[in-house]
Amino acid sequence: DTEVTQTPKHLVMGMTNKKSLKCEQHMGHRAMYWYKQKAKKPPELMFVYSYEKLSINESVPSRFSPECPNSSLLNLHLHALQPEDSALYLCASSPLAGRSTDTQYFGPGTRLTVL
Amino acid sequence: DQQVKQNSPSLSVQEGRISILNCDYTNSMFDYFLWYKKYPAEGPTFLISISSIKDKNEDGRFTVFLNKSAKHLSLHIVPSQPGDSAVYFCAAPLGNEKLTFGTGTRLTIIP
Protein backbone atom coordinates (compact mmCIF):
# COMPACT_ATOMS: atom_id res chain seq x y z
CA ASP A 1 0.00 0.00 0.00
CA THR A 2 1.76 3.15 -1.20
CA GLU A 3 -0.88 5.79 -0.89
CA VAL A 4 -2.36 8.33 1.46
CA THR A 5 -6.15 8.26 1.59
CA GLN A 6 -8.45 11.07 2.68
CA THR A 7 -12.15 11.13 3.45
CA PRO A 8 -14.47 12.67 2.60
CA LYS A 9 -13.58 13.91 -0.89
CA HIS A 10 -15.99 16.81 -0.58
CA LEU A 11 -17.56 18.44 2.47
CA VAL A 12 -20.07 21.27 2.74
CA MET A 13 -20.73 22.61 6.21
CA GLY A 14 -22.38 25.53 7.92
CA MET A 15 -20.55 27.86 10.27
CA THR A 16 -22.14 26.25 13.33
CA ASN A 17 -21.40 22.65 12.32
CA LYS A 18 -18.78 20.31 13.72
CA LYS A 19 -17.13 17.95 11.25
CA SER A 20 -13.93 15.94 10.92
CA LEU A 21 -11.52 15.17 8.09
CA LYS A 22 -9.74 11.84 8.10
CA CYS A 23 -6.38 10.81 6.68
CA GLU A 24 -4.85 7.35 6.62
CA GLN A 25 -1.56 5.83 5.48
CA HIS A 26 -0.24 2.30 5.80
CA MET A 27 3.31 2.89 4.63
CA GLY A 28 4.77 2.94 8.14
CA HIS A 29 5.52 6.66 7.84
CA ARG A 30 6.23 8.39 11.14
CA ALA A 31 5.48 11.97 10.14
CA MET A 32 2.07 13.23 9.03
CA TYR A 33 1.01 16.69 7.89
CA TRP A 34 -2.03 18.85 7.28
CA TYR A 35 -1.89 21.50 4.55
CA LYS A 36 -4.43 24.01 3.33
CA GLN A 37 -4.51 25.06 -0.31
CA LYS A 38 -6.53 27.95 -1.71
CA ALA A 39 -7.15 28.32 -5.43
CA LYS A 40 -4.06 29.28 -7.46
CA LYS A 41 -1.87 29.25 -4.36
CA PRO A 42 0.72 26.74 -3.11
CA PRO A 43 -0.09 24.40 -0.23
CA GLU A 44 0.39 26.05 3.19
CA LEU A 45 1.50 23.95 6.13
CA MET A 46 -0.90 23.83 9.08
CA PHE A 47 0.28 21.04 11.40
CA VAL A 48 3.00 18.38 11.63
CA TYR A 49 2.84 15.23 13.73
CA SER A 50 6.08 13.38 14.42
CA TYR A 51 5.85 9.97 16.06
CA GLU A 52 2.21 10.75 16.90
CA LYS A 53 3.05 13.96 18.73
CA LEU A 54 2.26 17.46 17.48
CA SER A 55 5.59 19.01 16.53
CA ILE A 56 4.56 22.03 14.46
CA ASN A 57 1.47 24.25 14.65
CA GLU A 58 1.74 27.09 12.15
CA SER A 59 -0.34 29.48 14.26
CA VAL A 60 -3.54 27.87 13.06
CA PRO A 61 -6.80 29.18 14.63
CA SER A 62 -8.23 26.95 17.34
CA ARG A 63 -11.33 26.23 15.26
CA PHE A 64 -9.03 23.67 13.59
CA SER A 65 -8.07 20.87 15.97
CA PRO A 66 -5.73 18.07 14.82
CA GLU A 67 -5.58 14.62 16.34
CA CYS A 68 -3.27 11.66 15.73
CA PRO A 69 -4.89 8.57 17.33
CA ASN A 70 -2.18 6.23 16.03
CA SER A 71 0.74 6.17 13.62
CA SER A 72 -1.50 5.47 10.60
CA LEU A 73 -4.32 7.90 11.23
CA LEU A 74 -4.60 11.68 11.30
CA ASN A 75 -7.79 13.65 11.89
CA LEU A 76 -8.64 17.31 11.58
CA HIS A 77 -11.63 18.39 13.66
CA LEU A 78 -13.49 21.44 12.42
CA HIS A 79 -15.76 23.68 14.49
CA ALA A 80 -17.24 27.14 13.93
CA LEU A 81 -15.45 27.64 10.64
CA GLN A 82 -15.69 30.78 8.53
CA PRO A 83 -16.44 31.00 4.79
CA GLU A 84 -12.80 32.02 4.19
CA ASP A 85 -11.76 28.59 5.50
CA SER A 86 -13.14 27.06 2.31
CA ALA A 87 -10.19 25.38 0.60
CA LEU A 88 -8.62 22.07 -0.38
CA TYR A 89 -7.24 20.36 2.73
CA LEU A 90 -4.33 18.06 1.99
CA CYS A 91 -2.82 15.39 4.16
CA ALA A 92 0.73 14.14 3.62
CA SER A 93 3.11 11.67 5.21
CA SER A 94 6.85 11.05 5.11
CA PRO A 95 8.94 8.08 6.23
CA LEU A 96 10.93 9.56 9.10
CA ALA A 97 10.18 12.57 11.24
CA GLY A 98 12.87 15.20 11.55
CA ARG A 99 14.75 14.44 8.35
CA SER A 100 14.46 17.19 5.79
CA THR A 101 15.35 15.05 2.77
CA ASP A 102 12.39 12.74 3.18
CA THR A 103 9.82 13.04 0.43
CA GLN A 104 6.32 13.91 1.50
CA TYR A 105 3.52 11.92 -0.12
CA PHE A 106 0.18 13.62 -0.47
CA GLY A 107 -3.38 12.39 -0.37
CA PRO A 108 -6.00 13.56 -2.88
CA GLY A 109 -7.39 16.17 -0.51
CA THR A 110 -10.80 17.11 0.88
CA ARG A 111 -12.55 19.99 -0.85
CA LEU A 112 -14.22 21.93 1.98
CA THR A 113 -16.91 24.55 1.45
CA VAL A 114 -18.13 26.59 4.43
CA LEU A 115 -21.47 28.29 3.93
CA ASP B 1 8.60 36.26 2.50
CA GLN B 2 8.52 33.89 -0.48
CA GLN B 3 11.77 31.95 -0.25
CA VAL B 4 10.99 29.76 -3.25
CA LYS B 5 9.73 31.56 -6.34
CA GLN B 6 8.33 30.46 -9.65
CA ASN B 7 8.06 33.60 -11.73
CA SER B 8 6.16 32.08 -14.65
CA PRO B 9 2.56 31.36 -13.66
CA SER B 10 1.91 29.55 -16.92
CA LEU B 11 3.71 27.93 -19.84
CA SER B 12 2.44 26.41 -23.11
CA VAL B 13 4.56 23.92 -25.06
CA GLN B 14 3.95 21.94 -28.22
CA GLU B 15 3.68 18.17 -27.77
CA GLY B 16 7.02 16.49 -28.39
CA ARG B 17 9.05 19.59 -27.57
CA ILE B 18 11.00 20.34 -24.39
CA SER B 19 9.27 21.97 -21.43
CA ILE B 20 11.48 24.00 -19.09
CA LEU B 21 10.08 25.10 -15.76
CA ASN B 22 12.13 27.45 -13.60
CA CYS B 23 12.43 28.05 -9.89
CA ASP B 24 14.53 30.52 -7.90
CA TYR B 25 15.26 30.51 -4.20
CA THR B 26 16.65 33.03 -1.76
CA ASN B 27 17.71 30.92 1.22
CA SER B 28 21.26 29.64 0.73
CA MET B 29 20.68 27.13 3.55
CA PHE B 30 18.40 25.04 1.34
CA ASP B 31 20.21 21.82 0.49
CA TYR B 32 17.47 19.71 -1.04
CA PHE B 33 14.80 20.48 -3.61
CA LEU B 34 11.75 18.65 -4.87
CA TRP B 35 9.37 19.02 -7.79
CA TYR B 36 5.71 18.10 -7.43
CA LYS B 37 3.06 17.83 -10.12
CA LYS B 38 -0.57 18.57 -9.37
CA TYR B 39 -3.70 17.82 -11.36
CA PRO B 40 -6.91 19.71 -10.53
CA ALA B 41 -8.76 18.36 -7.49
CA GLU B 42 -5.90 15.99 -6.65
CA GLY B 43 -3.03 16.13 -4.19
CA PRO B 44 0.51 16.95 -5.37
CA THR B 45 2.47 13.98 -6.68
CA PHE B 46 6.21 13.76 -6.10
CA LEU B 47 8.14 13.91 -9.37
CA ILE B 48 11.87 14.26 -8.82
CA SER B 49 14.32 15.68 -6.30
CA ILE B 50 17.89 16.91 -6.18
CA SER B 51 20.43 17.31 -3.42
CA SER B 52 22.70 20.34 -3.36
CA ILE B 53 25.75 18.08 -3.73
CA LYS B 54 24.61 17.41 -7.30
CA ASP B 55 23.94 19.73 -10.20
CA LYS B 56 21.77 17.34 -12.20
CA ASN B 57 19.38 14.50 -11.54
CA GLU B 58 17.61 12.56 -14.27
CA ASP B 59 14.63 10.20 -14.18
CA GLY B 60 13.26 9.14 -17.54
CA ARG B 61 11.84 12.16 -19.36
CA PHE B 62 12.42 14.42 -16.34
CA THR B 63 15.72 16.13 -15.50
CA VAL B 64 16.29 18.68 -12.78
CA PHE B 65 19.27 21.04 -12.94
CA LEU B 66 20.60 22.98 -9.97
CA ASN B 67 22.77 26.10 -10.20
CA LYS B 68 23.75 26.89 -6.63
CA SER B 69 25.64 30.07 -7.43
CA ALA B 70 22.57 31.50 -9.15
CA LYS B 71 20.18 29.96 -6.60
CA HIS B 72 18.22 28.58 -9.51
CA LEU B 73 16.82 25.22 -10.47
CA SER B 74 14.95 24.07 -13.52
CA LEU B 75 12.88 21.05 -14.50
CA HIS B 76 13.20 19.80 -18.07
CA ILE B 77 10.58 17.49 -19.55
CA VAL B 78 11.45 15.96 -22.89
CA PRO B 79 9.58 14.99 -24.94
CA SER B 80 6.50 16.74 -23.53
CA GLN B 81 3.27 14.74 -23.59
CA PRO B 82 -0.38 15.80 -23.17
CA GLY B 83 -0.52 14.03 -19.79
CA ASP B 84 2.17 16.41 -18.54
CA SER B 85 -0.38 19.23 -18.50
CA ALA B 86 -0.62 20.12 -14.79
CA VAL B 87 0.58 22.62 -12.23
CA TYR B 88 4.20 22.11 -11.19
CA PHE B 89 5.52 23.20 -7.81
CA CYS B 90 9.12 23.35 -6.73
CA ALA B 91 9.66 22.96 -3.00
CA ALA B 92 12.44 22.99 -0.44
CA PRO B 93 12.52 21.78 3.17
CA LEU B 94 12.76 24.61 5.68
CA GLY B 95 14.01 23.06 8.87
CA ASN B 96 13.50 19.36 9.38
CA GLU B 97 9.85 18.97 8.57
CA LYS B 98 8.49 22.11 6.98
CA LEU B 99 8.27 22.09 3.20
CA THR B 100 8.04 25.49 1.55
CA PHE B 101 6.48 25.56 -1.91
CA GLY B 102 6.84 27.91 -4.84
CA THR B 103 3.72 29.51 -6.29
CA GLY B 104 3.46 26.98 -9.10
CA THR B 105 3.60 27.03 -12.90
CA ARG B 106 0.68 25.78 -14.96
CA LEU B 107 2.03 23.77 -17.89
CA THR B 108 -0.20 23.20 -20.90
CA ILE B 109 0.95 20.78 -23.60
CA ILE B 110 -0.59 21.59 -26.96
CA PRO B 111 -1.31 18.52 -29.13
Side-chain angles (χ1 to χ4, degrees), chain A residues 35-45 86-88 90 111, chain B residues 2 6 9 38 42 44 87-90 101-106:
Chain A
Y35 287 85
K36 173 181 177 178
Q37 186 176 23
K38 302 281 268 185
K40 299 188 180 181
K41 297 283 187 182
E44 291 179 15
L45 182 67
S86 299
L88 181 68
L90 294 162
R111 173 71 59 191
Chain B
Q2 192 72 28
Q6 293 174 258
K38 187 177 184 302
E42 292 186 14
V87 177
Y88 289 79
F89 292 98
C90 65
F101 286 85
T103 48
T105 296
R106 179 177 300 281

mmCIF file of all heavy atoms in Angstrom, chain A residues 35-45 86-88 90 111, chain B residues 2 6 9 38 42 44 87-90 101-106:
data_model
loop_
_atom_site.group_PDB
_atom_site.id
_atom_site.type_symbol
_atom_site.label_atom_id
_atom_site.label_comp_id
_atom_site.label_asym_id
_atom_site.label_seq_id
_atom_site.Cartn_x
_atom_site.Cartn_y
_atom_site.Cartn_z
ATOM 1 N N TYR A 35 -2.097 20.293 5.323
ATOM 2 C CA TYR A 35 -1.888 21.502 4.546
ATOM 3 C C TYR A 35 -3.236 22.048 4.129
ATOM 4 O O TYR A 35 -4.203 21.307 3.954
ATOM 5 C CB TYR A 35 -1.104 21.211 3.255
ATOM 6 C CG TYR A 35 0.361 20.912 3.417
ATOM 7 C CD1 TYR A 35 0.802 19.625 3.712
ATOM 8 C CD2 TYR A 35 1.315 21.905 3.212
ATOM 9 C CE1 TYR A 35 2.158 19.345 3.830
ATOM 10 C CE2 TYR A 35 2.679 21.629 3.326
ATOM 11 C CZ TYR A 35 3.074 20.352 3.627
ATOM 12 O OH TYR A 35 4.425 20.087 3.730
ATOM 13 N N LYS A 36 -3.252 23.347 3.884
ATOM 14 C CA LYS A 36 -4.433 24.009 3.332
ATOM 15 C C LYS A 36 -4.006 24.638 2.008
ATOM 16 O O LYS A 36 -2.948 25.277 1.924
ATOM 17 C CB LYS A 36 -4.890 25.098 4.298
ATOM 18 C CG LYS A 36 -6.001 25.995 3.803
ATOM 19 C CD LYS A 36 -6.319 27.046 4.866
ATOM 20 C CE LYS A 36 -7.370 28.026 4.395
ATOM 21 N NZ LYS A 36 -7.696 29.018 5.454
ATOM 22 N N GLN A 37 -4.828 24.461 0.980
ATOM 23 C CA GLN A 37 -4.508 25.061 -0.314
ATOM 24 C C GLN A 37 -5.699 25.827 -0.856
ATOM 25 O O GLN A 37 -6.764 25.238 -1.105
ATOM 26 C CB GLN A 37 -4.053 24.013 -1.324
ATOM 27 C CG GLN A 37 -3.582 24.643 -2.631
ATOM 28 C CD GLN A 37 -3.035 23.650 -3.631
ATOM 29 O OE1 GLN A 37 -3.358 22.472 -3.583
ATOM 30 N NE2 GLN A 37 -2.191 24.123 -4.534
ATOM 31 N N LYS A 38 -5.508 27.119 -1.057
ATOM 32 C CA LYS A 38 -6.528 27.946 -1.709
ATOM 33 C C LYS A 38 -6.246 27.943 -3.218
ATOM 34 O O LYS A 38 -5.137 27.641 -3.665
ATOM 35 C CB LYS A 38 -6.475 29.377 -1.160
ATOM 36 C CG LYS A 38 -6.682 29.491 0.343
ATOM 37 C CD LYS A 38 -8.126 29.392 0.725
ATOM 38 C CE LYS A 38 -8.776 30.748 0.783
ATOM 39 N NZ LYS A 38 -10.173 30.676 1.272
ATOM 40 N N ALA A 39 -7.263 28.344 -3.966
ATOM 41 C CA ALA A 39 -7.149 28.321 -5.430
ATOM 42 C C ALA A 39 -5.968 29.166 -5.913
ATOM 43 O O ALA A 39 -5.759 30.283 -5.442
ATOM 44 C CB ALA A 39 -8.440 28.833 -6.054
ATOM 45 N N LYS A 40 -5.194 28.615 -6.807
ATOM 46 C CA LYS A 40 -4.061 29.277 -7.461
ATOM 47 C C LYS A 40 -2.974 29.684 -6.481
ATOM 48 O O LYS A 40 -2.214 30.630 -6.732
ATOM 49 C CB LYS A 40 -4.530 30.491 -8.268
ATOM 50 C CG LYS A 40 -5.491 30.101 -9.372
ATOM 51 C CD LYS A 40 -5.806 31.250 -10.297
ATOM 52 C CE LYS A 40 -6.769 30.774 -11.370
ATOM 53 N NZ LYS A 40 -7.124 31.772 -12.327
ATOM 54 N N LYS A 41 -2.914 28.996 -5.357
ATOM 55 C CA LYS A 41 -1.870 29.248 -4.360
ATOM 56 C C LYS A 41 -1.160 27.931 -4.048
ATOM 57 O O LYS A 41 -1.714 26.855 -4.282
ATOM 58 C CB LYS A 41 -2.486 29.785 -3.063
ATOM 59 C CG LYS A 41 -3.182 31.119 -3.204
ATOM 60 C CD LYS A 41 -2.181 32.230 -3.275
ATOM 61 C CE LYS A 41 -2.883 33.574 -3.255
ATOM 62 N NZ LYS A 41 -1.941 34.683 -3.373
ATOM 63 N N PRO A 42 0.065 27.994 -3.517
ATOM 64 C CA PRO A 42 0.722 26.738 -3.114
ATOM 65 C C PRO A 42 0.134 26.213 -1.811
ATOM 66 O O PRO A 42 -0.512 26.968 -1.074
ATOM 67 C CB PRO A 42 2.174 27.175 -2.908
ATOM 68 C CG PRO A 42 2.092 28.630 -2.588
ATOM 69 C CD PRO A 42 0.915 29.168 -3.336
ATOM 70 N N PRO A 43 0.353 24.929 -1.522
ATOM 71 C CA PRO A 43 -0.086 24.403 -0.228
ATOM 72 C C PRO A 43 0.603 25.142 0.923
ATOM 73 O O PRO A 43 1.791 25.455 0.851
ATOM 74 C CB PRO A 43 0.356 22.940 -0.271
ATOM 75 C CG PRO A 43 0.512 22.622 -1.721
ATOM 76 C CD PRO A 43 0.961 23.893 -2.364
ATOM 77 N N GLU A 44 -0.154 25.392 1.989
ATOM 78 C CA GLU A 44 0.389 26.047 3.188
ATOM 79 C C GLU A 44 0.327 25.068 4.349
ATOM 80 O O GLU A 44 -0.742 24.520 4.647
ATOM 81 C CB GLU A 44 -0.445 27.276 3.549
ATOM 82 C CG GLU A 44 -0.339 28.427 2.574
ATOM 83 C CD GLU A 44 -1.236 29.589 3.009
ATOM 84 O OE1 GLU A 44 -1.691 29.603 4.167
ATOM 85 O OE2 GLU A 44 -1.471 30.476 2.171
ATOM 86 N N LEU A 45 1.441 24.887 5.012
ATOM 87 C CA LEU A 45 1.495 23.949 6.128
ATOM 88 C C LEU A 45 0.640 24.443 7.287
ATOM 89 O O LEU A 45 0.670 25.632 7.631
ATOM 90 C CB LEU A 45 2.945 23.781 6.578
ATOM 91 C CG LEU A 45 3.190 22.787 7.704
ATOM 92 C CD1 LEU A 45 2.883 21.359 7.238
ATOM 93 C CD2 LEU A 45 4.624 22.881 8.200
ATOM 94 N N SER A 86 -12.887 27.925 3.460
ATOM 95 C CA SER A 86 -13.138 27.056 2.310
ATOM 96 C C SER A 86 -11.849 26.903 1.508
ATOM 97 O O SER A 86 -11.215 27.903 1.141
ATOM 98 C CB SER A 86 -14.227 27.653 1.416
ATOM 99 O OG SER A 86 -15.442 27.782 2.123
ATOM 100 N N ALA A 87 -11.473 25.655 1.263
ATOM 101 C CA ALA A 87 -10.189 25.384 0.603
ATOM 102 C C ALA A 87 -10.072 23.885 0.364
ATOM 103 O O ALA A 87 -10.949 23.106 0.743
ATOM 104 C CB ALA A 87 -9.015 25.853 1.465
ATOM 105 N N LEU A 88 -8.977 23.484 -0.259
ATOM 106 C CA LEU A 88 -8.620 22.067 -0.377
ATOM 107 C C LEU A 88 -7.695 21.742 0.795
ATOM 108 O O LEU A 88 -6.673 22.404 0.974
ATOM 109 C CB LEU A 88 -7.913 21.809 -1.714
ATOM 110 C CG LEU A 88 -7.489 20.365 -2.010
ATOM 111 C CD1 LEU A 88 -8.711 19.472 -2.225
ATOM 112 C CD2 LEU A 88 -6.573 20.304 -3.231
ATOM 113 N N LEU A 90 -5.189 19.162 2.421
ATOM 114 C CA LEU A 90 -4.330 18.062 1.994
ATOM 115 C C LEU A 90 -3.632 17.440 3.195
ATOM 116 O O LEU A 90 -3.137 18.141 4.073
ATOM 117 C CB LEU A 90 -3.257 18.575 1.024
ATOM 118 C CG LEU A 90 -3.754 19.092 -0.318
ATOM 119 C CD1 LEU A 90 -2.696 19.961 -0.980
ATOM 120 C CD2 LEU A 90 -4.112 17.928 -1.226
ATOM 121 N N ARG A 111 -12.093 18.653 -0.429
ATOM 122 C CA ARG A 111 -12.546 19.988 -0.854
ATOM 123 C C ARG A 111 -13.606 20.444 0.135
ATOM 124 O O ARG A 111 -14.694 19.866 0.191
ATOM 125 C CB ARG A 111 -13.119 19.917 -2.270
ATOM 126 C CG ARG A 111 -13.784 21.200 -2.751
ATOM 127 C CD ARG A 111 -12.828 22.305 -3.036
ATOM 128 N NE ARG A 111 -11.846 21.972 -4.049
ATOM 129 C CZ ARG A 111 -10.774 22.704 -4.313
ATOM 130 N NH1 ARG A 111 -10.539 23.818 -3.624
ATOM 131 N NH2 ARG A 111 -9.918 22.345 -5.240
ATOM 132 N N GLN B 2 8.539 35.068 0.390
ATOM 133 C CA GLN B 2 8.517 33.895 -0.477
ATOM 134 C C GLN B 2 9.959 33.464 -0.734
ATOM 135 O O GLN B 2 10.665 34.111 -1.513
ATOM 136 C CB GLN B 2 7.789 34.262 -1.779
ATOM 137 C CG GLN B 2 7.440 33.087 -2.658
ATOM 138 C CD GLN B 2 6.311 32.233 -2.097
ATOM 139 O OE1 GLN B 2 5.459 32.697 -1.378
ATOM 140 N NE2 GLN B 2 6.335 30.968 -2.426
ATOM 141 N N GLN B 6 8.500 30.887 -8.266
ATOM 142 C CA GLN B 6 8.330 30.461 -9.650
ATOM 143 C C GLN B 6 7.700 31.637 -10.366
ATOM 144 O O GLN B 6 6.530 31.944 -10.151
ATOM 145 C CB GLN B 6 7.434 29.213 -9.720
ATOM 146 C CG GLN B 6 8.095 27.993 -9.093
ATOM 147 C CD GLN B 6 7.171 26.801 -9.035
ATOM 148 O OE1 GLN B 6 6.624 26.492 -7.988
ATOM 149 N NE2 GLN B 6 7.004 26.123 -10.162
ATOM 150 N N PRO B 9 3.772 32.036 -14.122
ATOM 151 C CA PRO B 9 2.557 31.356 -13.657
ATOM 152 C C PRO B 9 2.037 30.330 -14.664
ATOM 153 O O PRO B 9 1.345 29.392 -14.277
ATOM 154 C CB PRO B 9 1.534 32.487 -13.480
ATOM 155 C CG PRO B 9 2.114 33.684 -14.094
ATOM 156 C CD PRO B 9 3.574 33.463 -14.321
ATOM 157 N N LYS B 38 0.774 18.609 -9.939
ATOM 158 C CA LYS B 38 -0.568 18.565 -9.369
ATOM 159 C C LYS B 38 -1.622 18.710 -10.455
ATOM 160 O O LYS B 38 -1.640 19.686 -11.199
ATOM 161 C CB LYS B 38 -0.738 19.670 -8.320
ATOM 162 C CG LYS B 38 -2.050 19.584 -7.555
ATOM 163 C CD LYS B 38 -2.130 20.648 -6.498
ATOM 164 C CE LYS B 38 -3.409 20.502 -5.672
ATOM 165 N NZ LYS B 38 -4.640 20.555 -6.457
ATOM 166 N N GLU B 42 -6.698 17.093 -7.177
ATOM 167 C CA GLU B 42 -5.895 15.990 -6.651
ATOM 168 C C GLU B 42 -4.775 16.550 -5.787
ATOM 169 O O GLU B 42 -4.433 17.731 -5.880
ATOM 170 C CB GLU B 42 -5.289 15.161 -7.784
ATOM 171 C CG GLU B 42 -6.306 14.381 -8.590
ATOM 172 C CD GLU B 42 -5.630 13.467 -9.605
ATOM 173 O OE1 GLU B 42 -4.415 13.235 -9.517
ATOM 174 O OE2 GLU B 42 -6.352 12.985 -10.511
ATOM 175 N N PRO B 44 -0.765 16.927 -4.623
ATOM 176 C CA PRO B 44 0.508 16.952 -5.367
ATOM 177 C C PRO B 44 1.150 15.571 -5.397
ATOM 178 O O PRO B 44 1.090 14.829 -4.422
ATOM 179 C CB PRO B 44 1.366 17.939 -4.565
ATOM 180 C CG PRO B 44 0.406 18.739 -3.753
ATOM 181 C CD PRO B 44 -0.740 17.829 -3.464
ATOM 182 N N VAL B 87 -0.152 21.557 -12.919
ATOM 183 C CA VAL B 87 0.580 22.617 -12.229
ATOM 184 C C VAL B 87 1.801 21.992 -11.569
ATOM 185 O O VAL B 87 1.700 20.943 -10.921
ATOM 186 C CB VAL B 87 -0.299 23.311 -11.162
ATOM 187 C CG1 VAL B 87 0.504 24.371 -10.410
ATOM 188 C CG2 VAL B 87 -1.526 23.950 -11.822
ATOM 189 N N TYR B 88 2.953 22.614 -11.738
ATOM 190 C CA TYR B 88 4.201 22.109 -11.189
ATOM 191 C C TYR B 88 4.696 23.044 -10.092
ATOM 192 O O TYR B 88 4.780 24.262 -10.281
ATOM 193 C CB TYR B 88 5.258 21.990 -12.295
ATOM 194 C CG TYR B 88 4.958 20.871 -13.262
ATOM 195 C CD1 TYR B 88 4.006 21.033 -14.263
ATOM 196 C CD2 TYR B 88 5.591 19.637 -13.148
ATOM 197 C CE1 TYR B 88 3.704 20.001 -15.137
ATOM 198 C CE2 TYR B 88 5.296 18.600 -14.021
ATOM 199 C CZ TYR B 88 4.346 18.798 -15.004
ATOM 200 O OH TYR B 88 4.035 17.761 -15.864
ATOM 201 N N PHE B 89 4.996 22.436 -8.937
ATOM 202 C CA PHE B 89 5.516 23.198 -7.807
ATOM 203 C C PHE B 89 6.946 22.755 -7.516
ATOM 204 O O PHE B 89 7.217 21.554 -7.451
ATOM 205 C CB PHE B 89 4.687 22.936 -6.536
ATOM 206 C CG PHE B 89 3.289 23.484 -6.574
ATOM 207 C CD1 PHE B 89 2.213 22.672 -6.910
ATOM 208 C CD2 PHE B 89 3.045 24.811 -6.255
ATOM 209 C CE1 PHE B 89 0.922 23.167 -6.926
ATOM 210 C CE2 PHE B 89 1.750 25.316 -6.268
ATOM 211 C CZ PHE B 89 0.692 24.494 -6.606
ATOM 212 N N CYS B 90 7.842 23.706 -7.326
ATOM 213 C CA CYS B 90 9.118 23.349 -6.726
ATOM 214 C C CYS B 90 8.994 23.607 -5.227
ATOM 215 O O CYS B 90 8.174 24.415 -4.788
ATOM 216 C CB CYS B 90 10.285 24.109 -7.343
ATOM 217 S SG CYS B 90 10.269 25.872 -7.090
ATOM 218 N N PHE B 101 6.780 25.739 -0.494
ATOM 219 C CA PHE B 101 6.476 25.562 -1.909
ATOM 220 C C PHE B 101 6.604 26.875 -2.664
ATOM 221 O O PHE B 101 6.342 27.954 -2.134
ATOM 222 C CB PHE B 101 5.031 25.070 -2.088
ATOM 223 C CG PHE B 101 4.809 23.631 -1.724
ATOM 224 C CD1 PHE B 101 4.553 23.268 -0.411
ATOM 225 C CD2 PHE B 101 4.835 22.631 -2.696
ATOM 226 C CE1 PHE B 101 4.339 21.948 -0.063
ATOM 227 C CE2 PHE B 101 4.612 21.312 -2.366
ATOM 228 C CZ PHE B 101 4.368 20.971 -1.045
ATOM 229 N N GLY B 102 6.976 26.781 -3.934
ATOM 230 C CA GLY B 102 6.844 27.907 -4.837
ATOM 231 C C GLY B 102 5.375 28.107 -5.197
ATOM 232 O O GLY B 102 4.516 27.324 -4.804
ATOM 233 N N THR B 103 5.104 29.148 -5.960
ATOM 234 C CA THR B 103 3.720 29.510 -6.286
ATOM 235 C C THR B 103 3.139 28.677 -7.425
ATOM 236 O O THR B 103 1.949 28.751 -7.680
ATOM 237 C CB THR B 103 3.632 30.989 -6.649
ATOM 238 O OG1 THR B 103 4.666 31.286 -7.582
ATOM 239 C CG2 THR B 103 3.811 31.860 -5.409
ATOM 240 N N GLY B 104 3.974 27.891 -8.078
ATOM 241 C CA GLY B 104 3.464 26.984 -9.101
ATOM 242 C C GLY B 104 3.502 27.559 -10.499
ATOM 243 O O GLY B 104 3.388 28.772 -10.703
ATOM 244 N N THR B 105 3.683 26.675 -11.483
ATOM 245 C CA THR B 105 3.603 27.032 -12.904
ATOM 246 C C THR B 105 2.632 26.065 -13.565
ATOM 247 O O THR B 105 2.795 24.848 -13.450
ATOM 248 C CB THR B 105 4.972 26.917 -13.603
ATOM 249 O OG1 THR B 105 5.873 27.862 -13.042
ATOM 250 C CG2 THR B 105 4.839 27.166 -15.109
ATOM 251 N N ARG B 106 1.637 26.626 -14.237
ATOM 252 C CA ARG B 106 0.678 25.776 -14.961
ATOM 253 C C ARG B 106 1.233 25.476 -16.346
ATOM 254 O O ARG B 106 1.409 26.384 -17.159
ATOM 255 C CB ARG B 106 -0.676 26.473 -15.064
ATOM 256 C CG ARG B 106 -1.716 25.637 -15.821
ATOM 257 C CD ARG B 106 -3.071 26.328 -15.833
ATOM 258 N NE ARG B 106 -3.581 26.554 -14.483
ATOM 259 C CZ ARG B 106 -4.167 25.627 -13.729
ATOM 260 N NH1 ARG B 106 -4.345 24.406 -14.189
ATOM 261 N NH2 ARG B 106 -4.592 25.938 -12.519
#
